[in-house]
Amino acid sequence: MKLKLIFSGCLFIAVTCSNYSAFCQTKKTVKTVTKVSTITVSKADIAAGQLLISKSDCVGCHSAQNKMVGPAYVTIAQTYPMTEANLTALSQKIISGGSGKWGQVPMTPHPALTSPDAKKMVKYILSLNSK
């Protein structure tokens, strides 16, 4: 008799728990993963970008290692991985200028700069990531 009672109790608990877990799983969470692939940059592009920056007015507000008016290049590199999307977005930001991300002082636009040259400059900056 005791065995029947124990068996019935275990069966009741098993059925109750299985129904309870079914009720608890009414909400499903779907997680979307976006694959971000990094790109490889040639040493020639990095050198060309560094040369373009050294000949521009960028050095008046930026330095490779230290914050000046704008953020240090290494800080930018640590914030943005070397992806095609970041190359495009940051090169457009150099050309069009703007403010907000790094403070209230606006970055002056550089409309005479071509997109390929701006991308080389960004490749040099993002190559400074030491993470």
Side-chain angles (χ1 to χ4, degrees):
M1 182 71 172
K2 280 186 177 183
L3 189 57
K4 277 186 175 181
L5 186 58
I6 293 173
F7 179 73
S8 298
C10 289
L11 184 61
F12 175 76
I13 291 171
V15 169
T16 304
C17 288
S18 67
N19 286 339
Y20 177 75
S21 65
F23 288 119
C24 290
Q25 295 176 359
T26 57
K27 182 179 178 183
K28 287 189 176 184
T29 303
V30 177
K31 187 174 186 178
T32 304
V33 177
T34 305
K35 185 176 181 182
V36 177
S37 59
T38 57
I39 58 172
T40 305
V41 179
S42 71
K43 289 181 181 181
D45 276 348
I46 293 170
Q50 185 177 18
L51 182 63
L52 286 165
I53 286 175
S54 70
K55 292 181 176 184
S56 73
D57 65 345
C58 299
V59 295
C61 296
H62 298 278
S63 139
Q65 299 295 325
N66 302 310
K67 180 184 181 338
M68 293 174 55
V69 176
Y73 294 142
V74 294
T75 305
I76 297 168
Q78 290 169 350
T79 304
Y80 296 97
M82 181 83 74
T83 65
E84 193 62 46
N86 285 339
L87 285 176
T88 301
L90 294 173
S91 63
Q92 284 301 88
K93 191 69 160 181
I94 290 171
I95 294 169
S96 62
S99 68
K101 172 74 176 172
W102 302 100
Q104 294 305 309
V105 178
M107 182 172 72
T108 57
H110 301 86
L113 192 61
T114 66
S115 184
D117 282 348
K119 281 189 176 186
K120 288 176 188 172
M121 295 165 91
V122 173
K123 287 176 183 178
Y124 162 69
I125 293 167
L126 298 186
S127 75
L128 299 174
N129 186 359
S130 61
K131 279 189 195 177

